[in-house]
Every structure is written in C-alpha cells, then in structure tokens.
Amino acid sequence: MKFVSSMASALIPKTWPFDSRLLPETACVVGGSVRDALLERQAEYLDLDFVLPDGAVAIASAIARRYRAGFVVLDADNQIARAVFDQATIDFAQQVGPTLETDLQRRDFTINAIAYHPPSDRLIDPLNGIADLRQQTLRMVSRENLAEDPLRLLRAYRQAAQLGFTIDSDTRASIRELAPLLQKIAPERIRHELDALLSQPNGSACFKMAWQDGLFDAWLPHLNAGHAQQLANLDSALVNLPNLPGYLQLLHGWKDTVPAGHYRSWIKAARLSRLLPLDEEAAHRWLMRLKYSRSEGQAIFRVLQVQPYLDRMAEQNGCLSKADQFFLFKFAGTSLPAVSLVALSMGIPATAVGVMVERYQTPDDPVAHPTPLLSGKDLMRGLNLKSGPQIGQLLSAIEQAQASGELTNADEALIWAKDWLAE
C-alpha cells in the first residue's frame, strides 16, 4: 500500500534533523508517528521510532556524533538507543524476531503495529491496523502482549482519550480479566499513565471506564461513583469556562520547570485533587505512594486544603467573608488556578470565580497577596520578647486580625500585639 503524505508529515525524510541516507535500506519507522501521520495529527515536537534488523545502537551513535546530538543507550541488552536533537527525539531499536512482521506482532494495539518504509514509500500493515484507524477502534494485537507488560492495559484508555477512539469489546474484556496484574507495575509508571490520561480533553470519561473495569482497584481503592461524578463536573466546567482574559492559558500553565515527558497543568491538578481521599493523612500517603514530586504533591494537596472555604462559598452563592478570602488565597497559593476550576465545577457563580482569578492575577492585591505586617524578629525587638512558642501564637493572632481587616500596617500591629500580651 502506498502512503500519500502531506508536506507537513513527520514521515517525510526531509523534515528529519539528519540525512536519511545514513540509515540502512531496511530501516522502518514504526509506532505512534506512523499512526499519527495517517490520522493527520501534527505535533510541534518530532518523535520518531525506527526499527532496524541489526546495528541499532551503532547507527544511533554515529548519527548523534555527526550532528552533535545527545545520545543515550536506553537498553543495551535489547539494543535500543536514543538521539536527542533540539526539536526531535529519535529512537533506534533492534528488530525483535527474525522479521519486521514478527516485531510488529509483539506490539500492544493494531494501530501501533503499522510500519513505514521510507525508500519505497510503503506501509507495512500485517495486522490491519489501518482498518482499525478508519473505524476509530483500539484493538489489541493479542491478550498475551497485554499481559507481558500490564501497563498497556492502562495505556489503552489513555490512547482512547488521546485519539477519541473506542476500545474494541474483546480487548476491553481481556483488560478486565488482566487488571489485577497492574498491582505489580512500578508506581512511577502508573503515575505517568494516570497523568497522561487525566491531561487529555476526554480524560475524565476514559478514566471512569478504566475505574469501572478495575484498573485502579490496587492503586486507588478508595474511589467510588462520587469521585467519577466530580470529574464529570470538572469537564462540564471546562466546556463552559467564563470569558476571562487569559484564563485558559492560566489553567494550562505551570510555574515549575517540567522534565520532558511529564504532564503538568492546573487542569490535571484539579482532576487529581478530586481523586484524593478526604483524610489529609491518607491523601499524603496516596501522593507519596505514586511517587509524586514534593512540589507537585503539595500543589495538588493545596487544592484539597481549601475545600472548606469552597464549600462555604457554594453555600453563600459565591460570597465569603474577608477573613475567609484571606485564608483561601493563603492556603491555595500558586494552586489558585486549579482551585478556581474546582469552584466552577461546584456551581459557584462564574462572576465570583472571575473576581477570585482577577485578584490572584493582581500582584499587589492586599487579600490575594498580603504582606505580613510583622516578623518574629520585629516582635522580639519591639516588645522585648524572647524566642519561643509565644512568638508563633502572636504571629498567628496578628494574621487573623489582618485577615479580618482589623489591622492594616506594622505600627497598628505592634500596638495590637502589646495589648494582646497584656490580656
């Protein structure tokens, strides 16, 4: 079968960051890049996977040296290496089995088992993956292949969300039967697939399917229908976002530096917060078990911490006392974008959420970004106090008075502190 490509296709050799003549005649592109080209899905970052009958690591090394690209051996035993260019990652893998068809037979789903041979502009499709692409169906190559790497079970729902595909009924039945195997998978790999799934626009619906099929029984045993409904409410909020300048960009933003391959956005953080156990200690254990970084775990947990304030806001039609607003912003911190999305999903009026977001985006807002009126050193110096628990208690009391609007500057706070001590 001939492959008719557009000039923007990632499979056209002249779009690659190296000369295709450096590859042996037998080299083929496989996997997601072939699938996405057939679906006319374009990505900003080029990611190609080549299969070669032999010499994969040596060829990858030679290409990386010639173009001064990064180079790493991913798996010496199975001869898999990677060359990293500025705008592309190219993987080279040794063919598994005596033929390319044998290699393709070992893959997860038929749509990922299509190869492209550049010199002849020919597609190699022994498992009818192209037909499944046309039918928008995710179909397993074999039950044994799924069992060989159980993470493929979870990947099915992520790819279904990513592509907007339906999972074949026999494939889904096999996934249900094999679901207990996921408890043996390393938590880092589970977290990566969970993050990828919840980062897709249709991720919540496919997450619910995966949960119903038992894929999270070992990792998220506390989940129930209420959690699924909260995810659905978030999706409804995303469809009906208020018209706030830059709001969608804010939700997709994340201030930390993100390693390649990680999925970070405040939308994902909001979704994950809806899956946390209500008990704070249990929520911390859950985040630690799935190996979330300290910064990301704290960002997600902060959304859970402000839940009491959001509940009051919902009960009071979007209104909060000045003190409650002060502490909502304090506990939310940089997670406020995720908090605002959760607020919308709870039915809090868009006008109230808009005010919240506007205050957050105003650096000198006295409620959203308050400056502490006094430090511990100020108190010790001004009131001739010694370091101890009393300083912390006094700072907390001053903060409460500042939150309610009773105190607005350092001089007032010092006088107030003196009276507080006298009482």
Side-chain angles (χ1 to χ4, degrees), residues 192-206:
H192 181 81
E193 282 299 328
L194 177 61
D195 284 353
L197 174 57
L198 293 179
S199 296
Q200 304 302 325
N202 194 34
S204 295
C206 288

Side-chain angles (χ1 to χ4, degrees), residues 308-325 328 346-349 351-352:
Y309 298 98
L310 294 181
D311 290 339
R312 281 200 285 277
M313 206 171 173
E315 292 167 2
Q316 297 163 187
N317 197 33
C319 297
L320 276 182
S321 68
K322 189 172 182 180
D324 278 348
Q325 291 181 55
L328 183 150
M346 294 172 60
I348 293 172
T351 51

Side-chain angles (χ1 to χ4, degrees), residues 280-299:
E280 289 192 7
E281 188 175 337
H284 272 302
R285 286 199 304 269
W286 184 84
L287 291 166
M288 290 176 63
R289 186 186 178 205
L290 284 176
K291 306 295 184 182
Y292 279 96
S293 69
R294 180 180 176 83
S295 63
E296 189 166 16
Q298 287 177 338

Side-chain angles (χ1 to χ4, degrees), residues 10 12 27 29 98-100 110 129 137 191 201 217 238 243 264 289 304 326 328 330 333 348 366 380 419:
I12 296 178
V29 187
T99 66
L100 176 64
T110 60
T137 299
R191 184 201 67 226
D217 287 356
L238 280 167
N243 187 23
R264 280 190 177 178
R289 186 186 178 205
L304 186 69
F326 181 97
L328 183 150
K330 176 187 176 181
I348 293 172
M380 288 187 285
D419 292 340

Side-chain angles (χ1 to χ4, degrees), residues 406-418:
E406 186 178 348
L407 299 175
T408 58
N409 59 60
D411 291 338
E412 288 179 356
L414 198 60
I415 295 169
W416 187 92
K418 194 177 296 184

Side-chain angles (χ1 to χ4, degrees), residues 40-111:
E40 299 183 354
R41 288 168 53 89
Q42 299 295 332
E44 294 181 5
Y45 188 85
L46 182 63
D47 192 352
L48 293 176
D49 294 282
F50 285 94
V51 164
L52 303 91
D54 51 59
V57 171
I59 291 169
S61 176
I63 290 174
R65 280 199 310 273
R66 178 160 180 168
Y67 292 91
R68 297 182 179 179
F71 172 75
V72 60
V73 176
L74 299 177
D75 187 334
D77 293 336
N78 294 304
Q79 286 286 289
I80 304 173
R82 173 173 293 170
V84 182
F85 298 82
D86 287 342
Q87 291 298 320
T89 296
I90 316 293
D91 286 354
F92 301 82
Q94 194 98 330
Q95 177 179 289
V96 178
T99 66
L100 176 64
E101 286 75 9
T102 306
D103 183 283
L104 296 175
Q105 289 277 358
R106 296 176 62 89
R107 296 180 179 268
D108 50 7
F109 308 107
T110 60
I111 62 171

